[in-house]
């Protein structure tokens, strides 16, 4: 009869996307949201 | 390809696959196997009553709206490569500062430029001198070439 | 062994210097990039053969350097040298002078990593192969090169994503089972997966669909036999998590490729299939299927065909002459021999048994959707359901002529089209009820009921089209449902029907 899919550690009612805190297919809990950012090379001082 | 065209495995193949799968459980990737390696200075050992991990609020863009420009420049020049530098740069841009890639310096219009062309603008600016005075200075008759605009 | 004398030592020296330079915390990307402009690097990397040798030796050595960190009983590996190498690769790719060279370097390094992985996997075997260093290499490359970077234009990014997708297709569990866990983690990586699925004009969707199909094909034999030992159970739950994320964040992807996935999900995996069929476009508001007197045929959505990106006629083309005969019959209702012969043409040649059945399941799935799609087009052009008798002939013929096993597969193929409100869902819902009503034997009616019921009694989610069809079946007097003896054939079945009827009412 399948699995209660609400017990897989994903907040299926979340208004946000789930992938941004998806740690791994084996994780029972969401991962910390890693900020995605890009630092241009010119921001680095020698 | 272990599976023939229909995805069917022979009994032998199935056993071999299962033993590979069972063996690979030992090396199931853990979170630390994908933790980004960011060359960070070793954390300075502080007494336990100091916070041992950075507070989450330092990843919140709203906090950067409350910092004064001096703080934003400090974060930008002294925390390079971090998410905080990224947030500080975003906040400076929101406050109409513009980064000059050649001088590695932030400029802000002091008044409307006298001239604007496709390639540059010219006029009086304020810039943040991070090298000698760690203060804001005025520069007249400056030409900001857009090819140096980050 | 055929490396020129001294080349290995030279490369090891360069690698060692590079790793030491990389590990200095004060050396940021800009300094690292400056380091790579040294002539010694430029000379070795501009030659095809010497560059391949450089990457290969660096990869082998840095992979071997991933040894367990003291005191972590093998749980944690040291990745310093390997991270240094992947950083070198990322900088070379990112700052190559043009897009083709960027992509060329990436593809070259991925190919070498794949060859090393495959050779390692086959030579070390289950006891000694460790998937984590390879996971780290691909994870570092994917993360660093998929991240938003204004210096990488969209076209180059697509080439990178294509290179990564091809690398993952080539290293799928069907080919390298000992890498399966790392592989699924890479496919569902929180940066990579959305990158593929957020691409404008859905250019990368066929690649991601191929990756999911590779995974489902690998699992199929184990799931079909319900052999859920520890590794398969872990992979199965991991797959459910990935599908749930697709359902929540990218439902249109599941909608557009439902046919490909149902083709490779075993009939016994009812909940996983329901999960995929429950997807509906985010801009759609689903009418509550339990609304009393819901008038499905008045819903505007049922006049719109669903978007189907799977090439669902593939299996028809694979059987010589089948598609032509079928199209001919649908057009002219000729030759009369087409119908009586149809049943045998759905069997696998030579009485073969594949995946536990004598039937060519992909062909049945393809036939049902193809006939239904043609009928819907005709109905829409003529304005009435009755105007597609050729199609209903075929469905009725199969309902009558097929044996229990074949009819189960046939009815499943129809039930796989009961999804969100669209013209296919409506048509196939009507067809299923029509076959129930017109059935000459109660066995067919029982089997139609079974196919619906076994999809309803599993844990959620349930596709909208499945619910409205079952509710119609048990509520509409025309079908006289409760009068059938099979609804009372055993106490637990009677209780089951009562409970399902109560929840549906």
């Amino acid at each position: 009869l399948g699995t209660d899919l609400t017990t897989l550690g994903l907040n299926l009612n979340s208004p946000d996307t789930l992938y941004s805190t998806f740690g791994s297919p084996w994780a029972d809990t969401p991962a910390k949201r890693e900020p995605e950012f890009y630092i241009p090379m010119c921001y680095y001082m020698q | 390809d272990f599976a023939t065209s229909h995805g069917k495995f022979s009994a032998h193949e199935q056993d071999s696959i299962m033993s590979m799968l069972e063996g690979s459980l030992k090396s199931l990737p853990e979170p630390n196997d994908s933790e980004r390696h960011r060359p960070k200075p070793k954390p300075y050992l502080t007494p336990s009553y100091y916070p041992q991990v950075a507070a989450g609020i330092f990843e919140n863009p709203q906090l950067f709206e409350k910092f004064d420009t001096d703080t934003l420049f400090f974060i930008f020049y002294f925390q390079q490569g971090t998410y905080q530098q990224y947030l500080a740069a975003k906040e400076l841009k929101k406050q109409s500062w513009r980064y000059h890639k050649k001088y590695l310096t932030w400029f802000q219009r002091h008044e409307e430029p006298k001239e604007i062309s496709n390639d540059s603008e010219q006029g009086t600016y304020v810039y943040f001198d991070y090298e000698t005075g760690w203060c804001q200075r005025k520069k007249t008759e400056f030409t900001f070439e857009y090819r140096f605009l980050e | 062994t055929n490396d020129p004398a001294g080349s290995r030592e030279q490369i090891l020296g360069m690698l060692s210097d590079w790793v030491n330079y990389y590990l200095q915390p004060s050396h940021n990307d800009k300094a690292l990039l400056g380091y790579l402009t040294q002539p010694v690097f430029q000379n070795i990397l501009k030659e095809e053969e010497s560059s391949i040798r450089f990457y290969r030796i660096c990869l082998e050595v840095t992979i071997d350097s991933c040894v367990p960190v003291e005191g972590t009983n093998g749980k944690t590996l040291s990745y310093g040298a390997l991270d240094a190498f992947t950083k070198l690769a990322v900088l070379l790719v990112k700052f190559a002078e043009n897009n083709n060279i960027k992509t060329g370097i990436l593809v070259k390094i991925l190919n070498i990593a794949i060859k090393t992985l495959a050779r390692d996997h086959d030579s070390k075997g289950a006891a000694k192969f460790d998937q984590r260093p390879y996971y780290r290499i691909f994870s570092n490359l994917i993360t660093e090169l998929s991240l938003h970077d204004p210096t990488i234009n969209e076209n180059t990014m697509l080439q990178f994503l294509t290179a990564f997708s091809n690398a993952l297709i080539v290293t799928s569990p069907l080919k390298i089972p000992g890498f399966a866990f790392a592989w699924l983690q890479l496919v569902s990586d929180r940066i990579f997966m959305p990158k593929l699925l957020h691409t404008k004009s859905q250019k990368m969707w066929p690649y991601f669909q191929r990756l999911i199909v590779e995974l489902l094909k690998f699992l199929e034999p184990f799931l079909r036999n319900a052999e859920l030992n520890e590794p398969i159970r872990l992979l199965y739950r991991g797959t459910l998590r990935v599908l749930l994320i697709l359902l929540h964040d990218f439902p249109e992807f599941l909608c557009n490729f439902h046919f490909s996935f149902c083709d490779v999900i075993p009939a016994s995996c009812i909940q996983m299939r329901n999960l995929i069929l429950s997807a509906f476009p985010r801009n759609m508001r689903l009418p509550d299927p339990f609304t009393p007197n819901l008038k499905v045929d008045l819903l505007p959505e049922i006049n719109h065909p669903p978007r189907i990106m799977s090439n669902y006629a593939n299996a028809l083309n694979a059987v010589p002459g089948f598609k032509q005969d079928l199209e001919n019959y649908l057009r002219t209702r000729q030759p009369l021999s087409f119908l009586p012969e149809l049943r045998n043409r759905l069997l696998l040649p030579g009485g073969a048994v594949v995946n536990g059945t004598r039937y060519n399941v992909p062909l049945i799935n393809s036939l049902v959707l193809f006939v239904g799609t043609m009928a819907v087009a005709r109905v829409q052009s003529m304005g009435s359901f009755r105007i597609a008798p050729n199609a209903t002939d075929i469905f009725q013929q199969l309902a009558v002529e097929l044996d229990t096993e074949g009819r189960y597969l046939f009815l499943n193929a129809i039930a796989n089209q009961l999804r969100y409100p669209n013209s296919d869902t409506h048509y196939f819902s009507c067809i299923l009820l029509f076959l129930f009503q017109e059935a000459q034997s109660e066995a067919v009616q029982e089997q139609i009921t079974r196919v619906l019921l076994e999809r309803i009694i599993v844990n959620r989610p349930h596709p909208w089209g499945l619910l409205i069809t079952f509710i119609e079946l048990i509520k509409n007097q025309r079908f006289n449902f409760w009068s059938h003896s099979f609804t009372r054939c055993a106490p637990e079945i009677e209780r089951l029907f009562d409970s399902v009827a109560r929840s549906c009412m």
Side-chain angles (χ1 to χ4, degrees), chain C residues 120-154:
Chain C
D120 212 10
H121 175 268
D122 294 348
S123 61
K124 285 184 179 161
K128 288 202 276 173
F129 174 70
D130 189 333
Q131 60 194 312
R132 288 172 293 174
Y134 297 96
Y135 169 70
R136 183 81 177 188
I137 290 170
F138 287 116
S139 171
N140 282 355
L141 293 174
I142 285 176
T143 303
E144 291 254 10
L145 292 173
S146 305
L147 271 177
H148 168 72
D149 174 342
T151 62
I152 303 284
N153 67 37
E154 192 200 333

Side-chain angles (χ1 to χ4, degrees), chain C residues 21 99 114 136 151 182 187 196 204 209 218 222 235 238 339 354 364 406 414 419 431 480 498:
Chain C
Y21 192 80
N99 297 340
I114 291 165
R136 183 81 177 188
T151 62
V187 166
L196 286 190
M204 298 307 292
Q209 172 249 347
F218 174 73
F222 304 106
L235 269 176
L339 283 184
V354 173
I364 294 174
I414 294 177
R419 300 192 288 147
I431 276 289
N480 211 2
D498 287 346

Side-chain angles (χ1 to χ4, degrees), chain C residues 44-281:
Chain C
I44 206 165
L45 293 174
K46 69 179 179 224
E47 284 282 305
E48 180 68 5
E49 198 180 319
S50 59
S51 65
I52 289 177
R53 180 181 309 117
F54 175 79
Y55 295 135
R56 173 173 50 78
I57 291 172
C58 287
L59 258 174
E60 287 166 356
V61 170
T62 51
I63 286 166
D64 289 345
S65 76
C66 299
V67 295
V69 172
E70 293 289 311
T72 63
N73 72 349
K75 289 307 275 176
T76 307
L77 299 182
S78 68
Y79 289 118
L82 189 130
D83 287 348
F85 173 68
T86 51
K87 176 58 90 175
L88 178 146
V90 164
L91 292 172
L92 290 176
V93 169
K94 268 190 168 180
F95 295 97
E97 66 251 35
N98 67 50
N99 297 340
N100 289 338
I101 295 178
K102 291 178 199 278
T103 307
I105 295 171
L106 176 61
V107 169
K108 191 185 292 182
I109 291 172
L110 287 174
N111 284 344
I112 295 167
I114 291 165
K115 285 192 187 112
T116 312
L117 161 60
R119 197 175 50 238
D120 212 10
H121 175 268
D122 294 348
S123 61
K124 285 184 179 161
K128 288 202 276 173
F129 174 70
D130 189 333
Q131 60 194 312
R132 288 172 293 174
Y134 297 96
Y135 169 70
R136 183 81 177 188
I137 290 170
F138 287 116
S139 171
N140 282 355
L141 293 174
I142 285 176
T143 303
E144 291 254 10
L145 292 173
S146 305
L147 271 177
H148 168 72
D149 174 342
T151 62
I152 303 284
N153 67 37
E154 192 200 333
N155 183 43
T156 308
M157 181 55 76
L158 282 175
Q159 289 176 26
F160 287 177
L161 294 172
T162 305
F164 287 129
S165 305
N166 286 330
L168 289 168
I169 287 170
V170 169
T171 56
S172 87
L174 285 170
K175 284 106 177 172
I176 308 186
F179 188 59
F181 293 103
W183 182 87
L184 183 53
Q185 204 149 330
L186 290 166
V187 166
S188 60
D189 177 273
R190 71 174 98 166
I191 292 176
F192 181 62
M193 176 165 67
K195 273 287 181 194
L196 286 190
L197 295 174
H198 273 153
T199 43
K200 259 185 247 154
S201 71
Q202 301 162 354
K203 252 184 208 153
M204 298 307 292
W205 282 24
Y207 283 93
F208 199 72
Q209 172 249 347
R210 173 72 192 277
L211 291 167
I212 298 295
V213 167
E214 289 279 316
L215 172 65
L216 295 172
K217 264 185 171 179
F218 174 73
L219 287 171
E220 198 279 336
F222 304 106
L223 297 183
R224 177 164 32 85
N225 302 328
E227 276 174 35
L228 288 186
N229 61 6
E230 179 53 24
I232 294 296
R233 181 196 315 282
L234 207 52
L235 269 176
Y236 174 69
R237 283 171 69 90
T239 303
L240 284 180
R241 285 195 178 97
V242 174
L243 292 176
L244 280 170
I245 287 180
L246 293 174
L247 182 65
H248 185 277
D249 296 349
F250 307 102
E252 291 82 3
F253 171 75
L254 291 181
C255 294
N256 293 3
F257 284 108
H258 81 291
F259 182 83
S260 312
F261 302 139
C262 287
D263 233 12
V264 290
I265 290 177
S268 54
C269 273
I270 296 173
Q271 183 181 37
M272 182 188 270
R273 192 179 45 207
N274 272 357
L275 193 162
I276 287 168
L277 299 177
S278 299
F280 59 91

Side-chain angles (χ1 to χ4, degrees), chain A, chain C residues 28-31 33 91 94-95 146-151 180-182 184-185 188 190-191 193-195 198 234-238 240-242 244-245 248-250 271 275 457-461:
Chain A
L1 297 184
T3 313
D4 176 356
L5 298 181
T6 60
T7 61
L8 292 178
L10 298 171
N11 175 8
L12 301 175
N13 293 320
S14 160
D16 301 326
T17 58
L18 296 181
Y19 66 77
S20 46
T21 56
F22 186 53
S24 100
W26 336 119
D28 287 323
T29 54
K32 176 177 159 309
R33 189 181 299 270
E34 279 278 315
E36 203 190 303
F37 64 101
Y38 162 76
I39 301 279
M41 198 50 82
C42 58
Y43 276 9
Y44 289 110
M45 302 307 130
Q46 187 50 7
Chain C
N28 58 38
D29 282 13
K30 188 169 190 174
L33 190 60
L91 292 172
K94 268 190 168 180
F95 295 97
S146 305
L147 271 177
H148 168 72
D149 174 342
T151 62
F181 293 103
L184 183 53
Q185 204 149 330
S188 60
R190 71 174 98 166
I191 292 176
M193 176 165 67
K195 273 287 181 194
H198 273 153
L234 207 52
L235 269 176
Y236 174 69
R237 283 171 69 90
L240 284 180
R241 285 195 178 97
V242 174
L244 280 170
I245 287 180
H248 185 277
D249 296 349
F250 307 102
Q271 183 181 37
L275 193 162
I457 59 176
V458 295
N459 271 297
R460 290 181 300 161

